[in-house]
Amino acid sequence: MTAHAMAYTSVHTIPSVETYRQLRSTAGLSPKTIEAAERGLPNSLFAVQIFCDGTPVGMGRVIGDGGAFYQVVDIAVLPEHQGRGLGKMIMAEIADYIEREVPESGYVSLLADGEAYRLYQQYGFALTAPASVGMGLKKAPKS
């Protein structure tokens, strides 16, 4: 089957811990421990997975407090399925969720790696610098 003949379907379900960790690491995102995934995934406000022939090949989530603040996270597509519009498919599902569920004063943020900001701009996201800049705190691993 050629790459373009593959059928992709989107499902609004939270990925399993195993799928989540595998998609993140294979897509080049930072790894998450089993504990982090087990604690975090059930708290998703919205999740979408992209399947190809029953196998998960992409995902995205929205997290937050469900009213004032939301964050788009975990946008991941397996390398062998990149360049086929799956990032746009994931973001379109997330954009629909945002349009439907986020109150007028709600603030939706995300951190874009590399050139990914170009994808997010297509869905109304704008660079915030220099007015505000993204910051992060990464806990040091326990030794």
Side-chain angles (χ1 to χ4, degrees):
M1 186 182 293
T2 64
H4 295 294
M6 291 182 174
Y8 293 105
T9 55
S10 65
V11 181
H12 296 176
T13 57
I14 297 170
S16 69
V17 168
E18 297 77 21
T19 295
Y20 174 75
R21 294 180 71 230
Q22 188 261 333
L23 283 174
R24 278 192 63 89
S25 62
T26 307
L29 302 179
S30 61
K32 296 295 177 199
T33 64
I34 292 171
E35 179 190 16
E38 286 176 343
R39 289 169 64 173
L41 288 170
N43 295 312
S44 303
L45 295 175
F46 176 79
V48 59
Q49 292 183 79
I50 306 297
F51 287 86
C52 178
D53 298 325
T55 301
V57 298
M59 68 174 175
R61 293 192 310 138
V62 179
I63 60 172
D65 64 13
F69 294 96
Y70 298 77
Q71 186 174 23
V72 176
V73 297
D74 296 329
I75 306 299
V77 175
L78 294 179
E80 60 269 28
H81 293 272
Q82 291 175 4
R84 300 182 191 163
L86 300 186
K88 287 182 181 179
M89 186 185 286
I90 292 165
M91 282 306 298
E93 300 280 351
I94 288 174
D96 287 347
Y97 169 82
I98 290 168
E99 181 62 31
R100 195 172 60 246
E101 299 293 335
V102 176
E104 185 179 319
S105 68
Y107 184 76
V108 183
S109 63
L110 61 79
L111 292 172
D113 294 335
E115 295 296 305
Y117 74 90
R118 297 179 191 279
L119 168 65
Y120 306 130
Q121 284 177 326
Q122 297 173 40
Y123 296 91
F125 288 87
L127 298 171
T128 58
S132 60
V133 295
M135 296 178 71
L137 171 67
K138 191 171 179 182
K139 249 183 115 168
K142 294 175 184 163
S143 49

